[in-house]
Amino acid sequence: TKFGATVKDVSAEKFIKQYAAALKRSDLKLPAWIDLVKTGAYKQLPPFDPDWYFVRAAAIARRIYLRGSIGVGAFRKIFGGCKDNGAKPDHVAKASGAVIRHILHQLADKGIITHVGDDSTPYKLTNEGRKALDRVASSILSGKTA
């Protein structure tokens, strides 16, 4: 926006929390396996936060806003972690691609993001998605809730 706030003007923590709440109020469809899935093969337990799906979706939307275009493989690296191998040294592990892919499809169905080219290319924000994210950022800076 020309005179309003952008996502870059707001701290990541505040933006993700606020946008996750907005996504929770929206018609985002949760998968049937939401309570069973781990966010990566390297994890021992599923997430404790009942709203973890919306938080992850908000973080993904924010990251697409900042990076321009990004694919599933890059998100797997970003949200990946460290695999505990017991007494052996730890190794870097990637996050679950199915969770990320499902979130990307949901955001695309809402019109927030779209493919750069055909269906096998990375995702980018739509103009409507950019406006929606900037609206949330503006509401944070003005002290209102989105």
Side-chain angles (χ1 to χ4, degrees):
T1 57
K2 190 170 183 183
F3 298 106
T6 65
V7 175
K8 295 179 182 181
D9 299 330
V10 182
S11 75
E13 181 183 2
K14 288 180 182 176
F15 176 80
I16 290 171
K17 184 177 179 183
Q18 189 85 14
Y19 191 55
L23 286 174
K24 188 173 181 181
R25 289 189 303 268
S26 72
D27 58 347
L28 206 64
K29 295 176 189 150
L30 297 176
W33 39 259
I34 186 97
D35 54 341
L36 305 172
V37 73
K38 301 187 297 181
T39 56
Y42 62 94
K43 296 280 191 175
Q44 293 182 356
L45 296 171
F48 292 116
D49 184 6
D51 297 333
W52 71 268
Y53 188 85
F54 302 107
V55 173
R56 179 64 54 98
I60 285 175
R62 179 183 175 274
R63 188 64 71 140
I64 293 173
Y65 185 103
L66 298 176
R67 295 248 323 236
S69 70
I70 186 170
V72 176
F75 277 124
R76 289 188 70 196
K77 289 180 199 165
I78 290 166
F79 292 112
C82 203
K83 178 168 174 46
D84 183 9
N85 290 326
K88 296 178 282 184
D90 294 346
H91 290 288
V92 175
K94 291 181 180 178
S96 169
V99 172
I100 293 167
R101 210 170 289 109
H102 192 274
I103 290 171
L104 289 171
H105 288 308
Q106 291 297 312
L107 292 175
D109 290 345
K110 279 184 61 78
I112 304 290
I113 62 173
T114 185
H115 281 285
V116 173
D118 62 352
D119 285 348
S120 64
T121 58
Y123 289 87
K124 67 175 183 174
L125 273 179
T126 61
N127 287 336
E128 293 80 24
R130 185 170 299 278
K131 287 176 192 173
L133 270 60
D134 285 341
R135 245 182 272 124
V136 172
S138 296
S139 70
I140 291 170
L141 286 181
S142 67
K144 300 178 205 165
T145 57

